[in-house]
Amino acid sequence: PTSFSANLGVGEKVTVRKTVTITEAPTSALIDIAFVFDITGSMSGAINGAKATATSVLTTLGGFGSVASGTGWYADPQVDGVKSNLTTTIATTQAAINSLDACNSGSGFDGALCGGDTPEAGYAGITAAANGQSWRAGSNRFIVALGDASFNNAGGGSLAGTQAALAANDVELIGVSFGGAFTSAITDITGSASS
């Protein structure tokens, strides 16, 4: 009902049930999301799962507001926090996701620059994405990091620097773990587990 009234005596009660139905998805929110992938050798068995996860998130978000998306990656010590800058063209982001491969899977990266394995230059990769993506004014900003290992200070990254970059750019970090000590690395940054 649009309204309800009742006169109740002492000890009497009444229950009113109301159902709210939302028929349309919100269309005015600005959502900016950057996917940052661990592409080191330890991800060779998980990189396709990470790419599928990002694709699923990207597809789901397509129905909510105005979505701009981009990609980045980190290895050890190489990083590229802005492999593809934020764009509202999902196909551009999808192509960048599809082009990623783990270092030891024919990706064309110099294996010596991709790291022996663990820990990885995750701090530098996430910091580069936070500082380098072209975030839109007034947007809800997210970085989704996908990886399987702890982080080191390679590439000039650090825990404090990553936290500062996220705060300065008003970006929320979400971690998607594919094993190892990745969850604790994200927890160190955010103060809570998000993977």
Side-chain angles (χ1 to χ4, degrees), residues 2 6 8 12 14 28 35 39-40 62 70 75 89-90 98 111 132 164 174 176:
T2 57
L8 300 176
E12 292 180 323
V14 66
S28 60
F35 300 96
I39 63 162
T40 59
T89 306
I90 289 176
N98 292 344
I174 299 168
V176 180

Side-chain angles (χ1 to χ4, degrees), residues 23-116:
T23 57
E24 293 186 40
T27 58
S28 60
L30 294 177
I31 301 170
D32 289 354
I33 185 165
F35 300 96
V36 180
F37 295 83
D38 174 351
I39 63 162
T40 59
S42 64
M43 283 291 288
S44 62
I47 194 73
N48 287 335
K51 293 184 329 186
T53 298
T55 296
S56 176
V57 170
L58 191 58
T59 301
T60 301
L61 287 176
F64 295 97
S66 173
V67 178
S69 56
T71 63
W73 57 263
Y74 61 90
D76 184 31
Q78 291 181 336
V79 300
D80 185 356
V82 186
K83 176 180 176 58
S84 65
N85 208 341
L86 292 172
T87 177
T88 56
T89 306
I90 289 176
T92 301
T93 303
Q94 190 61 60
I97 290 169
N98 292 344
S99 73
L100 291 169
D101 208 352
C103 286
N104 67 354
S105 301
S107 62
F109 290 97
D110 179 342
L113 297 175
C114 284

Side-chain angles (χ1 to χ4, degrees), residues 74 79 120-129 150-163 184-186 188-189:
Y74 61 90
V79 300
E120 317 301 3
Y123 293 137
I126 293 167
T127 299
S150 60
F151 298 160
N152 62 28
N153 295 338
S158 70
L159 173 59
T162 301
Q163 291 169 326
S184 62
I186 297 298
D188 288 345
I189 297 169

Side-chain angles (χ1 to χ4, degrees), residues 165-181:
L166 292 168
N169 292 287
D170 196 23
V171 178
E172 182 175 337
L173 177 64
I174 299 168
V176 180
S177 178
F178 289 86

